[in-house]
Amino acid sequence: MILMAKGATPDDIARVCDRVRQLGFTPHEIPGSVRVAIGITGNQGPVPPEHFQSLSGVAECIPVSRPYKLVSREVKPEPTVVSVRGASIGGGGLAVIAGPCSVESRDQVFRTAEAVAATGAKFFRGGAFKPRTSPYVFQGLKEEGLRLLDEVRQHFDLRIVTEVKDTETLSAVAQAADVLQIGARNMQNFSLLEAVGRLKRPVLLKRGMSATLQELFMAAEYLLALGNYQVLLCERGIRTFETMTRNTFDLSAVVMIKHHTHLPVVADPSHGVGIDWAVAPLARASVVAGADAVMVEVHPDPSRALSDGQQSLTFDAYRALAADLARLDAWRSG
Ligand code: PEP
Ligand code: MN
């Protein structure tokens, strides 16, 4: 990584990027509030600093020791803030993302969106294309679900987070989504990562159910390497020997992601634990651990939900949790 001096000019930066390209590598200008850093990818081994040290505006050449580069705090010490139509995730306050697992009907999404917006949350989640373990269960309302999400977006001050399941439906999903969710099962779908990276739209990337944190960071690296820095990393539980919970919600991941990367962290205790009454304490713990956003599933009648009812909060339970989260957010920033 090449760290530019405070007074480096755009010409200085362009010259360094040209030199990187002449060497056969790819330069990445990394946004920073004070100084510009230029990351280098495409190199197999170390790149000798002598190539750059004498160029005007260059302050320092720093070898990046880890396989992930652009997501790393080494390369960008200040936290990334992802801004979505006036609402941001990262850099301080807590964001809440809430909504049903799946979009099921107009009545269901509108009632839920009303309850979510009333708590002051700015993000609404809901899947239209659902990746389901069984081919015999509800697969989502698909295009009709996207239309309903678009209606929600027009009626409420809510930004839409919805999953993109494959490259075939990406352009349709991208029209309804403010934030594209890449699900746990697709974390290492590299064609999808590349297609989404090229779109340069905000992405919520979920940790694969058996993925290490380094694998999660490398998956995010695909997006950043294509110039898309608007990436949120989501802990949603991992598979362990434990069977009493749906997954094992890895609270340490929240701490580790924040330590090792500059990207905002989203905690998803709904999928993390998979049991309605256990969601709130883990959501609260995530805020204490430093999560930038909490994502929870909410349904008007969880017992009749077409997916993930067992972990969905009622409106009352959601309202109580939202109030707790607001208090924790104030405590954390005060
Ligand atoms: C979801 O958010 O509803 C979902 C399917 O999540 P995951 O990919 O984490 O299982
Ligand atoms: Mn779900």
Side-chain angles (χ1 to χ4, degrees):
M1 179 186 58
I2 300 151
L3 200 55
M4 300 301 288
K6 255 188 198 161
T9 66
D11 272 356
D12 292 339
I13 295 166
R15 225 168 289 122
V16 171
C17 290
D18 283 346
R19 178 67 59 88
V20 174
R21 283 188 210 97
Q22 281 161 11
L23 293 165
F25 310 138
T26 310
H28 302 267
E29 227 183 280
I30 296 153
S33 56
V34 191
R35 304 207 284 188
V36 170
I38 298 165
I40 301 178
T41 60
N43 55 305
Q44 294 305 325
V47 181
E50 296 77 49
H51 288 299
F52 309 102
Q53 267 161 348
S54 59
L55 296 181
S56 129
V58 170
E60 218 182 325
C61 298
I62 304 168
V64 177
S65 51
R66 303 179 197 280
Y68 48 91
K69 298 182 178 192
L70 305 177
V71 307
S72 159
R73 278 248 186 217
E74 276 185 273
V75 164
K76 182 174 183 283
E78 56 224 78
T80 287
V81 179
V82 174
S83 289
V84 189
R85 294 197 290 114
S88 56
I89 303 182
L94 177 75
V96 174
I97 306 169
C101 179
S102 301
V103 174
E104 299 171 2
S105 68
R106 173 180 276 105
D107 178 68
Q108 177 236 18
V109 281
F110 270 71
R111 283 170 63 200
T112 311
E114 193 175 12
V116 168
T119 64
K122 297 282 182 254
F123 294 86
F124 185 76
R125 64 146 290 146
F129 289 90
K130 295 300 296 180
R132 301 302 302 278
T133 300
S134 165
Y136 305 120
V137 298
F138 181 61
Q139 302 285 312
L141 291 183
K142 304 185 177 169
E143 283 82 4
E144 172 61 12
L146 296 178
R147 275 192 289 278
L148 293 174
L149 288 171
D150 202 41
E151 280 191 45
V152 166
R153 172 155 70 171
Q154 282 163 38
H155 277 78
F156 299 92
D157 180 24
L158 290 169
R159 289 118 198 100
I160 304 297
V161 180
T162 194
E163 176 160 359
V164 55
K165 196 161 73 64
D166 45 46
T167 49
E168 288 82 352
T169 53
L170 173 57
S171 68
V173 174
Q175 279 175 38
D178 292 299
V179 178
L180 289 161
Q181 174 172 321
I182 296 182
R185 290 155 191 81
N186 265 322
M187 187 200 85
Q188 285 185 317
N189 179 337
F190 299 113
S191 336
L192 184 61
L193 290 169
E194 283 172 0
V196 170
R198 278 192 291 269
L199 269 191
K200 301 209 173 56
R201 297 277 300 278
V203 181
L204 187 156
L205 177 62
K206 289 191 142 198
R207 181 182 186 182
M209 44 231 298
S210 301
T212 63
L213 290 174
Q214 180 156 313
E215 286 163 342
L216 171 65
F217 299 166
M218 295 310 291
E221 196 75 17
Y222 272 81
L223 301 167
L224 275 72
L226 285 160
N228 188 354
Y229 273 74
Q230 298 170 275
V231 177
L232 311 164
L233 296 180
C234 178
E235 164 57 33
R236 48 78 71 203
I238 48 174
R239 192 157 275 188
T240 68
F241 50 79
E242 183 53 66
T243 55
M244 202 171 277
T245 50
R246 180 181 182 182
N247 290 295
T248 295
F249 181 65
D250 183 5
L251 193 56
S252 64
V254 172
V255 178
M256 297 304 279
I257 296 169
K258 280 212 80 74
H259 180 83
H260 289 287
T261 85
H262 53 83
L263 298 172
V265 185
V266 180
D268 171 1
S270 300
H271 294 87
V273 68
I275 303 166
D276 53 5
W277 57 263
V279 170
L282 293 169
R284 293 190 297 258
S286 304
V287 180
V288 176
D292 297 288
V294 168
M295 178 158 85
V296 289
E297 289 184 337
V298 183
H299 194 283
D301 184 356
S303 66
R304 300 170 72 119
L306 297 181
S307 61
D308 288 352
Q310 76 289 349
Q311 66 197 32
S312 296
L313 303 179
T314 61
F315 291 173
D316 280 345
Y318 168 70
R319 280 189 281 264
L321 173 60
D324 285 350
L325 296 183
R327 277 190 288 273
L328 284 170
D329 185 23
W331 162 79
R332 195 172 70 170
S333 46

